[in-house]
Amino acid sequence: MLDGLVWFFSNIGQAFVNAGYAITHPGLWLSWMGGLETTEDKQSLMRFVYYGGSVEFFFVVFTLFLIVTAVGIARPNFMWGCVRVLEGFANSVGRFFAWAGLLMVLQQIVIVFMQRIFTVAEISLIYGVDWLTFDVSWWAEELKLYNAMIVCMCATYTFVQGGHVRVDLVYSAISHRAKRVIDMFGSIFFMMPVAVLTWMYGWFFMWRHLVTPKVSASDKVEILMKKARILKWNVETIGFSPNGFNAYFLFKVLLVCFAAMVFLQAIAFFYRSYLEFKEGVGSIGKYLDRDTLGEGEEAYEGTH
């Protein structure tokens, strides 16, 4: 027990050193963005991959969360500002990617017409542009990407809007303050851990389909530095059918984005729950930006 506490608090202390070193030495982990021309560039990419799913990175984020929370407790207006920014980010991203639903429907209609009525084998997004011309099966499989965009990028937006299905056994019958305690507990002990685990596995899963040699969560940084000598891009382009959709690596990218957004929303939900607990019933829904169908349509809202 004592060893665990020492490890925990030493990692929090080391987080300041790690964050400072990363900020003052960006080339060690970002020089790969200019290309993988040198061994140093390849090593920087390997460092980026390793630390992106590492314990060190977790404690940097966790320590930042503790600092922001401490400041927010001392200055509630600052915490409300964090809530508004994080919820605004979730709403903006969700409202943008929600248009993927319309694109999915329109594209399916075009596919049906082109395949069943005009019996064409290929569809071009822009006529005469070869690299935007694909087999009909490619466009049909690509519809799954739109669905993945909606699921991954609109999940936190739906959470802010109160659109997720909730199984309520005792929640509605308890007091306001008890509800906020449950919300705080759920955000810290359910939302955040699940988001962290999804990130850790999704992060390395994504990079295994972007570079070669393949990286693993069990690889130490020393091993990755050795692998860096033969590192090169190897973006996944294999589809489920010969002429089908061949950019499935985008699904791995979306998984990582989903985990990051859920983690940020967990912070926003914890802050909102704490502030509503502290300020009382009158603060419920404060600064909450929810969509509306318009005046007179209130009866239909929340029924989905």
Side-chain angles (χ1 to χ4, degrees), residues 32-37 42 45 48-49 207 209-213 230-236:
W32 61 273
M33 291 185 175
L36 299 179
E37 303 297 331
K42 296 177 181 180
L45 177 54
F48 184 82
V49 173
W207 284 103
H209 295 85
L210 294 177
V211 298
T212 186
I230 55 173
L231 179 70
K232 63 180 181 179
W233 290 109
N234 187 34
V235 180
E236 177 188 33

Side-chain angles (χ1 to χ4, degrees), residues 123-141:
I123 298 177
S124 179
L125 187 62
I126 300 178
Y127 182 76
V129 180
D130 292 338
W131 62 277
L132 292 176
T133 302
F134 300 99
D135 190 88
V136 172
S137 61
W138 189 96
W139 293 103
E141 285 189 24

Side-chain angles (χ1 to χ4, degrees), residues 195-237:
V196 169
L197 287 174
T198 304
W199 173 278
M200 289 176 63
Y201 286 99
W203 177 260
F204 289 100
F205 183 59
M206 176 185 72
W207 284 103
R208 285 175 62 85
H209 295 85
L210 294 177
V211 298
T212 186
K214 294 186 180 299
V215 296
S216 173
S218 60
D219 288 342
K220 302 296 183 182
V221 66
E222 295 81 9
I223 295 176
L224 293 179
M225 290 300 99
K226 294 178 180 179
K227 288 184 177 181
R229 290 178 292 186
I230 55 173
L231 179 70
K232 63 180 181 179
W233 290 109
N234 187 34
V235 180
E236 177 188 33
T237 57

Side-chain angles (χ1 to χ4, degrees), residues 231-288:
L231 179 70
K232 63 180 181 179
W233 290 109
N234 187 34
V235 180
E236 177 188 33
T237 57
I238 300 175
F240 288 108
S241 58
N243 296 318
F245 184 66
N246 58 352
Y248 279 95
F249 71 92
L250 293 175
F251 290 87
K252 285 78 173 180
V253 176
L254 286 173
L255 178 62
V256 173
C257 293
F258 166 78
M261 293 192 66
V262 169
F263 186 84
L264 292 176
Q265 183 55 39
I267 296 174
F269 189 52
F270 175 78
Y271 286 171
R272 173 173 286 281
S273 301
Y274 167 77
L275 290 166
E276 291 181 356
F277 174 86
K278 181 179 179 181
E279 297 181 7
V281 179
S283 63
I284 295 177
K286 186 177 180 180
Y287 300 125
L288 188 59

Side-chain angles (χ1 to χ4, degrees), residues 83-98 148-164 191-192 195 254-269 272 288-291 304:
V83 172
R84 297 179 69 180
V85 169
L86 292 173
E87 289 184 348
F89 175 70
N91 277 335
S92 299
V93 172
R95 286 164 179 159
F96 176 80
F97 281 96
M149 287 180 178
I150 295 172
V151 172
C152 293
M153 307 307 290
C154 298
T156 54
Y157 160 69
T158 306
F159 188 93
V160 174
Q161 299 298 318
H164 285 298
M191 286 182 71
M192 284 188 181
L254 286 173
L255 178 62
V256 173
C257 293
F258 166 78
M261 293 192 66
V262 169
F263 186 84
L264 292 176
Q265 183 55 39
I267 296 174
F269 189 52
R272 173 173 286 281
L288 188 59
D289 178 17
R290 283 187 172 173
D291 297 335
H304 54 285

